[in-house]
Amino acid sequence: MEQKGPDDGMRSPICCILGHVDTGKTKLLDKMRNTNVQEGEAGGITQQIGATFFPYDKLVQEVDKVSGFHPTNVDVPGLLVIDTPGHESFSNLRSRGSGLCDIAILVIDLMHGIQKQTLESMELLKFRKTPFVIALNKIDRIYDWKPRYDGPSYLSLKKQKKDPQLEFKDRTKKILTALAEKGFNASLYYENDDPDSYVSVVPTSAISGEGISDLLTVVINLS
């Protein structure tokens, strides 16, 4: 897909990545940039706010993977992603991080649903009126899931057997219901006809890399 390129003088949007401890925020970011910061963290817990810049060329490369079913033009010069701690001891750092960002990625563990810091992060985003997307992480934990490494999660889901598809639908439905009960209407991004009113949900795996291209595409659309 041919990209027009960003306008001169545009600022790269700043995106925070938030969520409960152990949802896979740092691992997801590691996979996005092909590094391994998580292993160097004490107990695998992020203890400071770290920033990663994704240049225009990297964004185009990822967006191109989903261009067949979710075409998007990359009209930003890059994307700055800030990784915030999920552990409750670091709530001050997390609120400071959410105050810096134009948009946010809220990571929710598909296996555990909405947890304590998930709620806190949601309230922060709501209070600051920050637009956000949800990364529904750990789809690779679904029983009998067959990963399609580094590919779009939309295509991975379509290729799964019936049982993994049913488990994904059941777990996702419960999380969407829980979000609605907290006042957040949300929908899987490829079913979301009204992104201004509904939060887009992107299935991801920090282990297989599935859904990273989908996630970056939805974030760019939001910015």
Side-chain angles (χ1 to χ4, degrees):
M1 180 181 169
E2 189 178 340
Q3 296 285 346
K4 287 189 276 188
D7 295 333
D8 290 338
M10 281 188 70
R11 174 175 74 79
S12 297
I14 299 171
C15 176
C16 278
I17 186 162
L18 305 160
H20 192 84
V21 66
D22 289 339
T23 53
K25 297 183 305 299
T26 305
K27 269 193 163 61
L28 203 56
L29 201 47
D30 278 343
K31 197 70 180 176
M32 287 159 80
R33 64 190 171 203
N34 298 316
T35 60
N36 199 351
V37 170
Q38 179 77 26
E39 296 302 319
E41 302 280 6
I45 295 170
T46 309
Q47 299 189 66
Q48 59 188 7
I49 292 179
T52 301
F53 182 71
F54 292 93
Y56 174 77
D57 290 347
K58 166 72 171 173
L59 297 178
V60 170
Q61 179 187 335
E62 291 299 326
V63 164
D64 195 50
K65 294 180 185 177
V66 302
S67 61
F69 57 90
H70 201 77
T72 298
N73 186 59
V74 180
D75 55 3
V76 294
L79 182 69
L80 184 66
V81 180
I82 296 173
D83 182 16
T84 62
H87 194 269
E88 59 187 305
S89 306
F90 309 116
S91 59
N92 185 44
L93 278 177
R94 193 160 54 251
S95 61
R96 195 182 307 163
S98 69
L100 295 170
C101 50
D102 304 306
I103 47 179
I105 297 168
L106 178 64
V107 183
I108 296 178
D109 186 332
L110 178 66
M111 297 293 127
H112 293 113
I114 294 175
Q115 297 166 281
K116 186 180 176 184
Q117 273 96 44
T118 317
L119 288 170
E120 184 189 298
S121 296
M122 285 162 62
E123 288 305 317
L124 277 171
L125 294 170
K126 189 176 184 178
F127 176 73
R128 298 184 190 276
K129 296 182 170 61
T130 306
F132 68 98
V133 304
I134 291 171
L136 198 54
N137 199 32
K138 303 189 182 180
I139 54 173
D140 57 283
R141 296 277 185 91
I142 292 172
Y143 181 73
D144 206 24
W145 181 268
K146 298 292 187 289
R148 292 165 63 88
Y149 292 93
D150 301 318
S153 55
Y154 171 75
L155 297 180
S156 285
L157 281 160
K158 289 172 79 77
K159 296 288 184 181
Q160 299 302 319
K161 292 178 184 174
K162 185 179 179 181
D163 284 348
Q165 286 196 16
L166 287 173
E167 183 180 343
F168 171 77
K169 285 180 182 176
D170 181 55
R171 290 184 181 277
T172 301
K173 185 179 179 181
K174 287 175 181 172
I175 290 171
L176 294 181
T177 301
L179 285 166
E181 288 170 354
K182 298 296 178 184
F184 293 88
N185 292 322
S187 172
L188 288 165
Y189 84 94
Y190 44 82
E191 296 175 352
N192 192 355
D193 297 325
D194 188 5
D196 292 331
S197 304
Y198 282 73
V199 178
S200 287
V201 177
V202 183
T204 61
S205 166
I207 303 301
S208 66
E210 290 163 292
I212 285 171
S213 52
D214 314 58
L215 183 61
L216 285 169
T217 298
V218 174
V219 167
I220 289 162
N221 278 331
L222 196 62
S223 62

